[in-house]
Amino acid sequence: MNLKSQPINRLSGEVICPGDKSISQRILIIGSFLNCDIRISGFLDAEDPNSTMIALNNLGSSIEKDNDEVLIKKRSEPFSNPSSFLDLGNSGTGMRLLTGFISGLNLEATLIGDESLSKRPMSRVVNPLTAMGKEISTNSGKAPIQIKGGNIKDNFEYVMPIASAQVKSSLMLASMSSGNSIKITEPKITRDHTERMIEYLGGFIETSESFLGKTIFLNKSKLSKISSYEVVGDFSSAAFIIIAALISKNSKVLIKNVGLNKTRSGLLDILLKMNADIEITNERMTCNEACGDILVKSSELVGIEVPKKIIPNIIDEIPILSVAASFAEGKTVIKNASELKVKESDRLNATSMGLKAMNVKHEVLDDGLIINGSHDDIKIHNQIESFGDHRIAMSFLIAGLRSKNGSIVKDCSNIETSFPNFSKIMNNLGMNINE
Ligand code: S3P
C-alpha cells in the first residue's frame, strides 16, 4: 500500500500516545511467566506485540484481548513444546526475547519470521545462549532458530560486544525462566525496560558502572504476582508526532502519556540542543517507568553534532531525526550508528535514499549520516521507497508536510507493526495522508 502525504498549513490538538511496543512485548512474556491473572491496559495492539502474543499462546500461555485491554490468565498446565513453528513476523524483539525465554524453560521450538526478519543477525543471541549451555541451530546465524536441548548455566557472566537491549533482555529472560542468576555488561547504556519490569515485580537487580560499561546483575528471585499492569506510551511513536509539530509552521500539539524512560528519550535532549520548543509536564512513574505529557510548538531548528554515547538511546529515532535535520539550518552529524544497517531494513541506506528523493544534501558514512539542512520547503521528485520498514515509511510521510508537492511513500503496510492508526492520528492533528 502506497501512501501520499500532502503539504499542510499547521498541526494542532491533543493526542494520547499509543502504547510502548518494547514494554508490551515484555509484559506478555514476563506476565505469562508469573502465571496469574493480569489485566494489561495501554497495550500496543499492533502486529509485533500480537505475534509475540500468539507465539506465547502456542507455548501454553492463555492471553486474550478484551476490548482495549489484554488479559493474561493463570495457566492450568505448564508451558509445553509448541505444535507448530512460532512465527514472529517482522519482530526482532519478539524473536530474540523469546529465544532466550524458551531456552530457559527447556522447551524445544523453532522460531521463524518474515523476509526482513529472516535476514537479520540472530547469532548475537544464539552464541551467548550456546555458551550458557543451550543447543540451538540457525540458518548461518539467521532464522529459523531451532532451540533444542541443554540447560542454562547458573552465574553466567557475559560482556556484550554490541550495545543491544534485545540481546541483554534475551539472556536475562533465559536466566529468569531457568531460575538462575546472570551478570551482563553492556558497552553503552541501552533501554532498561526488562530490568525495570523485573525490579517492579520484586526481582533482585543490581547495576554498576566500570570502564567496560554498565553491568547488570540479576539474582535468582521469586517474582511477585500482580493483577494489573499499565503500559506507558511509546516514545518512539511520539517522536513522529513531535517532529511533525516542530517542522510544520504555526503548530502546537500536546502528546499525553508518553514514556520518558531516559534510556529511550535521548531524542528530547538532542532536539532541545537543536532549539526545539518542547515542554514536559505531568511527569510521573507508572509501573516503574517514567512518563509525562509533551507540549511541542513549531521551531526554527539548527543542526548539531549528535554525541556518540546517546546513539543507543535514540537508535529507533534516527530516521525521523534525519527528517528533522533536513529542516534544521546547518549540519547535523550522526556517527557510531552502524547498528542501523541491521534493523527492519538497512536504515542508513533507506534514510539516505529518502533524503535523496527530498533533494536534501547529505553524506552517508559507514556508521552514520551528515545532513545539510535548511528551513526551506522541499520539492520531492520521486516516490520514496520504504523498504517495507515502518519507521522509514512514517519518517518520509512526515517529511511530506513540508514539501511543495507532497511525498508518496511506497509499501507502507508495515506501519501496522508498531503504529496502527498512524495516518488517522496524524490527520486528526492536521496532516493530510491518504492512499
Ligand atoms: C528493542 C531494542 C532495540 C530497538 C528495537 C526494540 C527492544 O534493538 O531497536 O526496536 O525492545 O529491546 P537492539 O537491541 O537490537 O538495539
Side-chain angles (χ1 to χ4, degrees):
M1 180 204 25
N2 296 351
L3 290 176
K4 177 157 192 184
S5 167
Q6 309 268 17
I8 55 144
N9 291 326
R10 64 190 291 257
L11 290 183
S12 66
E14 264 183 42
V15 55
I16 296 176
C17 187
D20 188 282
K21 180 155 79 78
S22 293
I23 298 176
S24 293
Q25 310 223 71
R26 283 159 172 79
I27 190 61
L28 291 177
I29 300 172
I30 298 176
S32 293
F33 181 69
L34 292 179
N35 200 20
C36 55
D37 291 344
I38 309 174
R39 183 170 280 275
I40 305 169
S41 55
F43 180 79
L44 177 71
D45 188 4
E47 284 175 5
D48 279 8
N50 286 338
S51 59
T52 297
M53 183 180 85
I54 295 167
L56 284 162
N57 281 343
N58 279 332
L59 293 165
S61 294
S62 175
I63 313 172
E64 40 183 73
K65 292 191 188 155
D66 180 23
N67 295 318
D68 284 351
E69 297 188 324
V70 165
L71 302 179
I72 302 181
K73 292 204 181 144
K74 186 172 164 48
R75 277 175 281 113
S76 45
E77 301 286 333
F79 287 114
S80 56
N81 292 339
S83 53
S84 54
F85 292 167
L86 303 178
D87 187 352
L88 279 313
N90 194 244
S91 179
T93 305
M95 181 168 278
R96 295 191 178 118
L97 267 56
L98 282 177
T99 298
F101 181 64
I102 295 169
S103 292
L105 291 175
N106 269 347
L107 299 175
E108 290 182 9
T110 301
L111 287 72
I112 59 168
D114 69 5
E115 203 188 321
S116 145
L117 186 53
S118 305
K119 288 188 195 139
R120 297 180 64 188
M122 291 298 146
S123 38
R124 52 181 62 198
V125 289
V126 171
N127 290 348
L129 286 169
T130 305
M132 283 167 90
K134 291 304 292 185
E135 194 192 327
I136 302 175
S137 64
T138 61
N139 176 20
S140 309
K142 312 248 159 82
I145 300 179
Q146 218 183 329
I147 306 168
K148 299 169 179 168
N151 294 318
I152 293 288
K153 287 181 193 152
D154 196 10
N155 295 317
F156 188 73
E157 292 194 18
Y158 188 60
V159 179
M160 294 199 296
I162 44 167
S164 162
Q166 293 181 354
V167 175
K168 172 177 66 175
S169 301
S170 177
L171 307 188
M172 285 176 74
L173 292 174
S175 291
M176 181 198 78
S177 64
S178 59
N180 288 306
S181 303
I182 189 164
K183 207 178 255 185
I184 307 173
T185 301
E186 52 185 5
K188 290 204 187 71
I189 294 174
T190 68
R191 65 187 69 190
D192 62 359
H193 302 305
T194 308
E195 295 92 304
R196 288 184 165 276
M197 196 173 285
I198 292 177
E199 219 167 34
Y200 179 67
L201 300 168
F204 183 97
I205 299 268
E206 201 173 64
T207 60
S208 57
E209 282 183 44
S210 72
F211 70 98
L212 287 174
K214 180 180 172 189
T215 299
I216 300 109
F217 172 52
L218 164 64
N219 203 355
K220 295 181 194 67
S221 21
K222 189 160 168 36
L223 303 181
S224 316
K225 303 214 183 291
I226 47 169
S227 58
S228 63
Y229 186 90
E230 189 183 335
V231 179
V232 297
D234 198 320
F235 182 82
S236 300
S237 298
F240 296 104
I241 311 171
I242 295 171
I243 285 170
L246 288 175
I247 64 171
S248 55
K249 305 267 166 69
N250 306 312
S251 296
K252 183 175 167 185
V253 172
L254 179 67
I255 317 163
K256 289 183 143 176
N257 196 33
V258 186
L260 292 174
N261 180 323
K262 287 270 175 228
T263 63
R264 287 290 297 284
S265 61
L267 182 73
L268 284 182
D269 301 331
I270 301 296
L271 291 173
L272 289 173
K273 283 194 192 137
M274 290 174 82
N275 200 31
D277 187 345
I278 295 177
E279 209 182 307
I280 313 255
T281 55
N282 201 12
E283 281 185 82
R284 57 200 186 273
M285 292 300 283
T286 301
C287 297
N288 206 24
E289 288 285 351
C291 71
D293 302 342
I294 304 185
L295 180 68
V296 194
K297 295 184 192 152
S298 309
S299 304
E300 301 268 278
L301 299 177
V302 293
I304 62 154
E305 192 146 332
V306 175
K308 288 181 184 170
K309 204 173 131 194
I310 209 167
I311 294 293
N313 312 126
I314 62 166
I315 194 73
D316 289 343
E317 285 67 72
I318 293 176
I320 189 63
L321 172 61
S322 304
V323 169
S326 305
F327 296 102
E329 196 61 52
K331 203 191 256 189
T332 295
V333 182
I334 303 166
K335 286 184 180 168
N336 234 29
S338 52
E339 270 297 298
L340 289 179
K341 292 181 179 169
V342 290
K343 294 292 177 189
E344 286 84 327
S345 68
D346 173 348
R347 286 188 177 153
L348 277 185
N349 175 55
T351 304
S352 166
M353 298 290 276
L355 295 179
K356 214 174 192 173
M358 285 163 63
N359 289 312
V360 171
K361 279 199 206 127
H362 69 283
E363 192 186 327
V364 196
L365 311 171
D366 200 39
D367 66 345
L369 290 160
I370 299 177
I371 299 162
N372 287 292
S374 88
H375 291 152
D376 300 338
D377 284 347
I378 50 163
K379 193 143 193 225
I380 302 175
H381 295 298
N382 302 317
Q383 296 193 351
I384 296 178
E385 198 65 64
S386 75
F387 297 91
D389 183 330
H390 54 136
R391 297 198 199 281
I392 298 296
M394 290 186 277
S395 297
F396 291 105
L397 288 168
I398 299 293
L401 66 80
R402 280 291 306 278
S403 64
K404 294 188 175 112
N405 53 345
S407 63
I408 297 175
V409 182
K410 286 157 85 175
D411 190 11
C412 291
S413 50
N414 262 5
I415 292 178
E416 292 296 317
T417 60
S418 71
F419 198 158
N421 299 323
F422 169 75
S423 301
K424 196 170 152 206
I425 288 175
M426 297 314 297
N427 289 351
N428 280 342
L429 294 173
M431 277 193 74
N432 185 352
I433 305 173
N434 289 295
E435 278 186 41

